[in-house]
Amino acid sequence: MIKNIGIWIDTKQAVIIKLSNESHSIKTIKSNIDTRERVPGESKKFGRFGGQYMTFEKNKLNKRNDQTNHFIKNLFKEVQNCNSIVLFGPSKMKTIFEKELKKNMQLGTKLVGVFNAKLLTENQMVAWVKDFYKK
């Protein structure tokens, strides 16, 4: 059975379209990545003990990297048993996922393309993936 997968990926979610013969299935995975997070106590950039400056940039970056890695692991679970994968979407998350796919020995060879795409409805995504694999 041939399983082709198209993934529309964004920072907020990934829509996985699985094509097998003439049928298709759609699954949406939320990323849970906080893009605009406010840390309590962040308003002051300095401590009360003089010239000691505190920043929360490193904490935010570490938390965002952990959330991104968790999101990518969830996507890997969905694409294990497939013949080919195509990525498309508007954000840079598709290039991050592409790099992780290429690091994986099993899935790196199954990636057939990465393309830019706008915000699409589910029907448009399914049509895009079907058109891509008809070529």
Side-chain angles (χ1 to χ4, degrees), residues 15-99:
V15 179
I16 301 171
I17 298 120
K18 294 181 181 179
L19 300 177
S20 57
N21 298 335
E22 292 298 319
S23 64
H24 69 274
S25 63
I26 300 171
K27 185 172 184 178
T28 303
I29 297 177
K30 299 289 182 188
S31 69
N32 297 325
I33 297 174
D34 296 330
T35 54
R36 295 185 179 195
E37 178 190 4
R38 184 183 181 288
V39 177
E42 186 182 31
S43 62
K44 290 180 10 178
K45 294 282 185 184
F46 55 89
R48 61 177 220 201
F49 301 112
Q52 296 176 350
Y53 289 94
M54 299 181 299
T55 61
F56 297 97
E57 299 294 322
K58 193 171 186 179
N59 293 345
K60 283 184 183 179
L61 184 64
N62 287 339
K63 185 174 181 180
R64 185 178 170 120
N65 287 341
D66 287 343
Q67 291 170 341
T68 303
N69 290 336
H70 184 69
F71 178 51
I72 288 173
K73 283 181 186 177
N74 287 341
L75 288 176
F76 271 137
K77 291 177 189 174
E78 293 296 323
V79 298
Q80 287 298 322
N81 301 321
C82 69
N83 294 352
S84 60
I85 303 169
V86 63
L87 299 175
F88 61 107
S91 71
K92 66 180 181 181
M93 186 61 71
K94 67 182 172 291
T95 56
I96 295 170
F97 188 57
E98 175 190 12
K99 288 178 186 176

Side-chain angles (χ1 to χ4, degrees), residues 7-9 85-91 94-95 98 111-118 128 132 135:
I7 301 175
W8 183 90
I9 190 167
I85 303 169
V86 63
L87 299 175
F88 61 107
S91 71
K94 67 182 172 291
T95 56
E98 175 190 12
L111 183 65
V112 293
V114 179
F115 301 96
N116 290 327
K118 301 184 266 185
W128 192 96
F132 178 81
K135 295 178 185 176

